[in-house]
Each structure stands twice: as C-alpha cells, then as structure tokens.
Amino acid sequence: MKIVLVGAGNVATSLGKALLDAGNDILQVYSRTLESAARLAEMVGASPTTELDKLTADADVYIMTVKDSVIAEIVPLLCKGRAEKVFLHTAGSIPADVFEGMALHYGVLYPLQTFSKNKVLDFIDIPCCIEWNDDMAFEIVNTLARSISERVAPLNSEGRKHLHLAAVFACNFVNHCYEISSEILAKHDVPFDIMLPLIDETARKVHSMSPADAQTGPALRYDRNVIRMQAELLRDNPIFKQIYESMSLSIHHTAIKGDD
C-alpha cells in the first residue's frame, strides 16, 4: 500500500518503520521542519517535504501523526484535491469525524503504546484500535493495522477518548511518579536504578491480579503517622506534597469502596 506520513515525531517514526517492514511503500514524510522530515524519510525510503500542497496525489492513504492541537488546522489543507483517497489519524482524543466534510473516506488507527524515537518496538503485540466511516476506509485501516499487529480491535471515538484517558493514568502519570521518585533519591545521592526491581515486580503483578488486589503501602492501610511524616518531607515542594496527599487519599477511598 502507498502511504504518506503527515508528521515525523515519535509515533510516526515507530509506525513508519513497522509499516515499511510489513511491505508497505512510504512515499513521503511531511513535517514542519525539514530536518525532522528528512530524518524519518531516510529511515523509511521516502521523500521529505515541509509543504502540504506539495504532497503527492499518488498515495492510497494519508496518515496524520501530528499533535492533537494542529489536526483541525491541517485537515483542510491535506484533504484538498484528494477526495478519492483515505485519510487516517492516530490520536486518542480526537474524533474520527474531524475529517467530515473535507474527506469522503476516513478513519483512525490508534496504537495503544508509548513511543520514543530511539527505541524500536515490535508492533506485533501493540493493540491497534481502528475506526472508519465507510467500507473503503475500513478496508484500508483494517489491512494496515493487521499488517503490523495481531491485536486489532474496532473502537468508536467515544470509547477511544476514555481509553486514552485510562492510558494517561497507566503510563504518563506513572512515569511522572518515577520522575518524582528519581528527584527525591537524587537529593540524597541514591541512584534511581535501586527502584527497578520494585518497579518491575509492580508491573508483573498486574499481569496476574487486579490493580486493586496488587495495591500495598501506607495509603492502603491509611497509616496516618507514616502519611503525615512523608508528606512533611515534601514540604519544600508543594506540588509533590499535593500529589502525595491526593494519591494517598484516592488509594484509601478506593480501598474502602472495594470493601463495600
């Protein structure tokens, strides 16, 4: 399948490599900066461009991997003069109908994973949620998704918004907690890698038990003395202190609700 990638960030890099490895042909890569477009284009054997009106009309599908905040701005320029083509975006919180009125065939290919340019992931086990507006869009998005992943599932825009929200808690917020942990340790010259066995075991546990059953620590027991003492240790960083207290209260309330 002939593909144009609109965007050259983390998602585009991993997705582009996976699509190329699956036998697809990446014709062009668009980015606002030539450096970013050229870097990814070289990886996937494509031509770079910084001009939307210079995109080829020969692609079967145009895949947008740009920031959510610029999708609505780019869609009219991307779709103009390409009405017979299929257009997809990869965003978790943007509805499929962002293309409505500007494209005839459109949908979403949303890979549920955290991506970094310097870490190549095997897409085969990455869940890919797809949405489409007609048979032509379904044929394209379903074929593409199944060419790279064994975990493909239909999900409408409303469901995908909530999936994205859940992913923010499970990934982005958790990683921020790692960052906070790292800052606390660094102030006392303790290397962060001391936490890795604990982090790994915590992640392993939820493969075999529910997160509620896996929860431990002073907040679960609501040990007020420990909670008060640890919150006081964060007095010089009000935001971290607020996170600690809010998280402890949430864990306690969730445990109480589970006991009802």
Side-chain angles (χ1 to χ4, degrees):
M1 197 173 299
K2 296 178 181 179
I3 300 168
V4 166
L5 293 175
V6 181
N10 293 343
V11 176
T13 299
S14 291
L15 181 59
K17 290 177 180 176
L19 290 169
L20 181 68
D21 290 345
N24 297 287
D25 186 8
I26 315 298
L27 301 182
Q28 278 181 306
V29 174
Y30 163 85
S31 178
R32 289 188 172 184
T33 66
L34 184 57
E35 182 182 2
S36 295
R39 187 185 304 117
L40 179 53
E42 184 177 3
M43 293 179 189
V44 298
S47 299
T49 184
T50 59
E51 300 177 72
L52 288 169
D53 59 359
K54 296 292 179 61
L55 290 177
T56 179
D58 294 334
D60 301 303
V61 57
Y62 298 77
I63 305 177
M64 300 184 66
T65 63
V66 295
K67 294 189 300 183
D68 291 10
S69 59
V70 301
I71 288 179
E73 170 191 338
I74 289 179
V75 163
L77 301 172
L78 179 63
C79 296
K80 185 178 180 181
R82 303 181 178 92
E84 75 281 9
K85 306 298 183 176
V86 173
F87 298 87
L88 306 175
H89 73 65
T90 60
S93 294
I94 301 297
D97 63 12
V98 70
F99 294 107
E100 190 172 5
M102 286 166 282
L104 297 176
H105 319 290
Y106 56 83
V108 178
L109 171 56
Y110 174 54
L112 184 64
Q113 188 52 275
T114 175
F115 296 103
S116 299
K117 289 181 182 179
N118 58 354
K119 184 173 176 58
V120 177
L121 299 179
D122 185 353
F123 251 82
I124 199 72
D125 291 321
I126 295 177
C128 288
C129 300
I130 61 173
E131 186 177 4
W132 59 92
N133 79 314
D134 63 8
D135 290 345
M136 183 173 174
F138 170 75
E139 181 64 27
I140 292 286
V141 71
N142 186 57
T143 300
L144 282 180
R146 294 189 183 281
S147 75
I148 58 176
S149 173
E150 292 182 351
R151 302 185 64 182
V152 177
L155 188 66
N156 63 25
S157 293
E158 188 64 22
R160 193 174 64 259
K161 282 197 299 186
H162 287 84
L163 176 61
H164 191 203
L165 171 62
V168 167
F169 274 93
C171 175
N172 306 139
F173 287 177
V174 169
N175 190 73
H176 184 59
C177 287
Y178 296 158
E179 184 179 356
I180 293 172
S181 174
S182 179
E183 286 192 29
I184 292 170
L185 293 172
K187 288 180 179 179
H188 298 276
D189 299 320
V190 180
F192 180 71
D193 62 10
I194 198 172
M195 305 299 293
L196 296 180
L198 176 63
I199 290 170
D200 292 343
E201 177 58 18
T202 303
R204 274 194 297 267
K205 284 202 295 187
V206 295
H207 284 262
S208 58
M209 63 178 72
S210 72
D213 289 338
Q215 187 69 59
T216 61
L220 180 70
R221 304 185 299 271
Y222 211 62
D223 188 328
R224 287 181 174 83
N225 290 333
V226 174
I227 292 171
R228 191 179 302 113
M229 180 269 292
Q230 292 188 335
E232 180 63 16
L233 292 176
L234 296 168
R235 63 185 178 276
D236 293 335
N237 193 319
I239 292 178
F240 286 2
K241 186 172 184 288
Q242 181 181 4
I243 291 171
Y244 177 89
E245 291 173 338
S246 297
M247 194 80 77
S248 296
L249 188 62
S250 179
I251 291 170
H252 177 58
H253 283 176
T254 301
I256 292 174
K257 186 171 62 176
D259 290 338
D260 290 345

